[in-house]
Amino acid sequence: MGRLALVAGLAVAPLAQAANDPLDGIGGTEALQAHFDAATHQTQVSGKVASDLCFSFALPEEWRLTEIGLKATVSNADLSIGLRSADELRDLPQFDLAIRDAKALQREYEQMLGRPAQSVSLSSEAGATRWSATWIDASLPTASHAMTVETLIVPLSSEWVLELSLSGVESREAYDALAWHLLTRLKVQDRAACQS
């Protein structure tokens, strides 16, 4: 049922979010934390994958935690955050973990939507792989009758990838600027940093 609701939600926006298990829904993962720093006008975000692996990044302006990630307080922007383990991707032949994750995302969406994507692209930027897929269907409620989903895939280790999906951003230029801001400030930390 949740997958059907997701498909219905995705059909509403031309650039939609890819939603996977939120951080607090994955076994062994502690909750995401976010703190707005009024002096810098940035929200510091951190998450722990395991006792020896965590990550942090900063977002401009104030963002608040939601069930699946973060929501901007001054705009309609949302950031969905998911994790996927290498174990979940074991059946895919690609050597690169981020590429395997992109293939898994595409397979999941194609199964949900019941058809292959008309267009798929992969690109690399700031240590991440950007996966994007587009479906075109006359029944979609957008003027273009198209739906695009996009996820930034960041390898955290040889065992984990972080999936970051922005939605509700007002323009492509604003989307790209926000993605770049996030990726250039993302840090993967080891055991010592995770203890603090």
Side-chain angles (χ1 to χ4, degrees), residues 56-72:
S56 63
F57 57 85
L59 292 166
E61 302 302 332
E62 184 175 5
W63 293 67
R64 296 206 176 123
L65 291 171
T66 67
E67 288 184 17
I68 61 166
L70 297 149
K71 168 94 175 126

Side-chain angles (χ1 to χ4, degrees), residues 7 10 18 23 38 42 48 54-55 62 67 70 76 81 87 89 92 106-107 111 116 119 125 129 159 179 183 187:
V7 172
L10 288 175
L23 285 170
Q42 293 194 105
K48 189 182 270 191
C54 55
F55 63 89
E62 184 175 5
E67 288 184 17
L70 297 149
N76 291 323
I81 302 174
D87 285 344
L89 303 169
L92 295 166
Q106 185 172 336
R107 182 170 62 188
Q111 287 172 348
S119 169
E125 56 188 81
T129 296
E159 295 299 317
L183 291 173
K187 296 178 186 169

Side-chain angles (χ1 to χ4, degrees), residues 16-17 19-20 23 44 46 49 56 68 71 76 81 88 90 94-95 97 130 145 150 186 189:
Q17 68 184 28
N20 291 297
L23 285 170
Q44 301 297 324
S46 62
V49 181
S56 63
I68 61 166
K71 168 94 175 126
N76 291 323
I81 302 174
E88 292 178 61
R90 202 174 323 155
Q94 292 77 14
F95 175 75
L97 186 59
R130 185 186 294 222
H145 299 292
E150 187 167 290
L186 191 142
Q189 298 155 319

Side-chain angles (χ1 to χ4, degrees), residues 145-160:
H145 299 292
M147 178 186 76
T148 298
V149 290
E150 187 167 290
T151 298
L152 299 167
I153 304 166
V154 182
L156 297 177
S157 70
S158 61
E159 295 299 317
W160 290 97

Side-chain angles (χ1 to χ4, degrees), residues 2 16 24 31 43 49 93 102 105 108 121 134 137 159 163 193:
D24 59 0
T43 300
V49 181
L105 283 168
E108 289 169 3
S121 69
T134 300
D137 189 306
E159 295 299 317
E163 298 172 341

Side-chain angles (χ1 to χ4, degrees), residues 76-88:
N76 291 323
D78 288 291
L79 175 63
S80 173
I81 302 174
L83 285 172
R84 196 182 309 248
S85 72
D87 285 344
E88 292 178 61

